[in-house]
Amino acid sequence: MTAVESKGVSRPLSERRKERSREAARFRRSKEAELFCQLAQQLPLPESITSHLDKASIIRLALSYLRTRKLFTTGVCYPSSQAAESKQTNPLSLQSLEGFLLVLMSSGDIIYVTENMSTFMGLSPMELIGHNIYDFTHPCDHGDIQESLSIRGALYSLRRDGRKAKRDFFIRMKCTVTNRGRTVNLKSAGWKVLHCTGHLSATYNPAFSCPIEYVSPFVSMMLLCEPIPAPPRPDAPISSHVFISQHSMDMKIIGCDDRVISLLGYHPDDLSRRSMYELCHASDVPIVARSHKILCVMGQVVSGPYRLLAKQGGYVWIETQATVLQDTRHHRPQLIICLNALVSNVEKCWMAFSVEQREAVQMDRCQTDRPLPSVLKQEHVANSQPEEATCNPSICEPPMCP
């Protein structure tokens, strides 16, 4: 056989090999696409979403679904007796929340998030499930997240009974919804402060017969993330038991509205240039200091309940939502706006907790009704029987007269 004939014979052989290789590749791709299609159909998602998922998203969501299933079957989030009831959820339950639910693994991977997250953050659950929480939070807050996910210290005592450790912290997360309601892409997203409350759980697989010290626990954290809203506009209506105050960056009061007169007995001029640390109960100064520190770092905060002293004795329980207003011209903090909501009436009105309260009592010591009742107290007195007095004479000290 000549060289030309051998070359003519070898060319069809190589073409046939290439054709068989292409057919085998097409078969593998079709089989792979079929398997991915079947896997997408097994996901607990509507068909309108699964039909548009790529292969990487299908794998990411499938792994998250398996982790969530393991989370429920091990009893981390719900006891075994309530596992069946948890499958039937009322759609109104998400609307009643002031935030969204978020479930994290010990590595920071997001395995579950409720659908109402898009209402608050603009991000859909499909964009977050399977990804890491560190990819969507501020770098300065990663240390707080790692500390909250850690099981060191007291959490080493967690055993098979599924005890939980409470968690309460603040983080900044990406938000694609602007203050004016417009939606931007993820690269142009801003930061929104979230108040995260929940619990960290560590459970052990009962199938292992070896000691617990040698078994790695299944660690997860379930959080309710509540975005802190912006302060209301000056013309916006607010509740009768809420007053607004303005502060400098060191928490000294610059201005206050007139509701403080009926709620606490102070005149706005009496509070000018006074610090919130002077007005709060001495035992609650650490609560105010912690909230003040978070406020200076993140720009927004919601304090826990603390006691604020009334003018003529006693105190009220109060919660404060604070926001730092920035000077857009010089790009620096300008002042702090606080929305102070009373959660109780005046308590222990016969007792003075500060020198200012004692001086106020001495100036008005012949009055029997002190301090001035708050709006909540007035409503309570109006709805109560005549024999129910605001201050029991057998308990309260009589007024000091000259």
Side-chain angles (χ1 to χ4, degrees):
M1 182 179 295
T2 63
V4 176
E5 294 177 351
S6 62
K7 188 176 181 180
V9 173
S10 61
R11 184 174 299 170
L13 291 176
S14 62
E15 292 293 336
R16 286 196 294 270
R17 292 194 190 98
K18 292 180 181 180
E19 184 65 25
R20 286 196 298 267
S21 178
R22 285 193 291 267
E23 291 178 358
R26 282 194 294 267
F27 177 78
R28 287 193 300 268
R29 286 194 297 268
S30 61
K31 188 65 175 178
E32 181 182 351
E34 182 181 355
L35 293 176
F36 273 102
C37 183
Q38 295 177 1
L39 181 60
Q41 293 176 357
Q42 299 299 321
L43 295 175
L45 299 173
E47 186 179 358
S48 59
I49 297 178
T50 57
S51 59
H52 295 85
L53 295 176
D54 56 358
K55 297 178 182 179
S57 300
I58 293 175
I59 295 176
R60 171 171 55 86
L61 295 175
L63 292 176
S64 300
Y65 174 69
L66 293 176
R67 291 179 176 179
T68 307
R69 185 176 180 180
K70 182 180 180 182
L71 186 68
F72 281 89
T73 55
T74 53
V76 176
C77 292
Y78 297 95
S80 58
S81 60
Q82 301 178 0
E85 299 178 1
S86 63
K87 297 180 181 179
Q88 299 178 356
T89 57
N90 190 350
L92 296 178
S93 60
L94 295 180
Q95 300 178 8
S96 63
L97 295 177
E98 296 182 357
F100 56 92
L101 293 178
L102 183 68
V103 182
L104 303 176
M105 300 298 296
S106 58
S107 59
D109 293 336
I110 303 172
I111 62 173
Y112 180 75
V113 63
T114 51
E115 297 178 359
N116 61 337
M117 181 184 184
S118 57
T119 305
F120 299 98
M121 310 299 293
L123 299 172
S124 64
M126 298 300 102
E127 296 180 75
L128 273 78
I129 294 178
H131 290 289
N132 201 285
I133 187 65
Y134 300 116
D135 298 334
F136 297 90
T137 52
H138 198 280
C140 297
D141 302 335
H142 291 177
D144 295 336
I145 301 175
Q146 291 177 356
E147 183 179 357
S148 301
L149 289 170
S150 175
I151 60 173
R152 293 177 298 177
L155 291 183
Y156 273 129
S157 60
L158 292 174
R159 291 298 183 263
R160 297 179 188 271
D161 55 358
R163 288 179 290 175
K164 302 170 183 177
K166 294 182 179 180
R167 288 292 182 262
D168 187 346
F169 58 97
F170 292 83
I171 59 174
R172 284 163 289 185
M173 196 171 187
K174 289 183 178 181
C175 178
T176 59
V177 180
T178 62
N179 295 332
R180 297 183 179 181
R182 296 187 304 174
T183 303
V184 298
N185 54 26
L186 191 59
K187 294 182 179 180
S188 304
W191 301 106
K192 179 171 285 190
V193 181
L194 301 178
H195 183 203
C196 303
T197 56
H199 58 264
L200 180 73
S201 301
T203 59
Y204 298 84
N205 194 340
F208 293 105
S209 58
C210 57
I212 294 179
E213 290 77 7
Y214 301 99
V215 180
S216 299
F218 186 80
V219 181
S220 63
M221 184 167 60
M222 175 176 285
L223 299 172
L224 172 61
C225 303
E226 300 177 87
I228 302 178
R233 296 176 300 177
D235 56 345
I238 60 176
S239 178
S240 58
H241 62 277
V242 176
F243 68 95
I244 300 176
S245 58
Q246 299 178 0
H247 306 257
S248 58
M249 294 306 297
D250 57 355
M251 290 306 295
K252 287 185 178 180
I253 300 176
I254 300 176
C256 193
D257 60 12
D258 295 336
R259 291 186 184 88
V260 72
I261 300 176
S262 60
L263 295 176
L264 296 174
Y266 294 104
H267 193 273
D269 295 337
D270 300 337
L271 300 177
S272 180
R273 307 310 302 173
R274 294 190 62 181
S275 176
M276 286 293 290
Y277 293 98
E278 302 176 13
L279 299 175
C280 69
H281 195 282
S283 300
D284 297 337
V285 170
I287 299 177
V288 179
R290 175 181 177 269
S291 300
H292 187 198
K293 181 180 179 181
I294 297 174
L295 177 64
C296 294
V297 174
M298 298 188 178
Q300 282 185 306
V301 75
V302 173
S303 69
Y306 66 98
R307 289 164 288 187
L308 198 66
L309 302 182
K311 181 178 180 179
Q312 295 179 341
Y315 56 81
V316 295
W317 287 96
I318 193 172
E319 275 190 347
T320 299
Q321 173 191 313
T323 303
V324 176
L325 296 184
Q326 298 286 338
D327 186 357
T328 56
R329 183 176 181 180
H330 300 91
H331 301 284
R332 61 184 181 184
Q334 186 176 8
L335 56 88
I336 299 173
I337 300 295
C338 291
L339 197 68
N340 308 286
L342 273 69
V343 295
S344 75
N345 298 316
V346 179
E347 300 181 4
K348 297 185 179 180
C349 55
W350 63 88
M351 187 177 298
F353 293 89
S354 65
V355 177
E356 290 78 7
Q357 285 183 330
R358 184 175 295 276
E359 293 176 353
V361 171
Q362 291 176 355
M363 293 177 60
D364 199 14
R365 51 194 171 183
C366 292
Q367 295 183 2
T368 55
D369 297 332
R370 28 172 238 281
L372 293 177
S374 63
V375 174
L376 298 179
K377 178 69 76 176
Q378 292 175 1
E379 295 176 355
H380 173 72
V381 174
N383 298 328
S384 61
Q385 298 295 331
E387 62 270 15
E388 294 180 359
T390 303
C391 189
N392 192 350
S394 61
I395 299 177
C396 298
E397 296 179 0
M400 296 180 295
C401 295

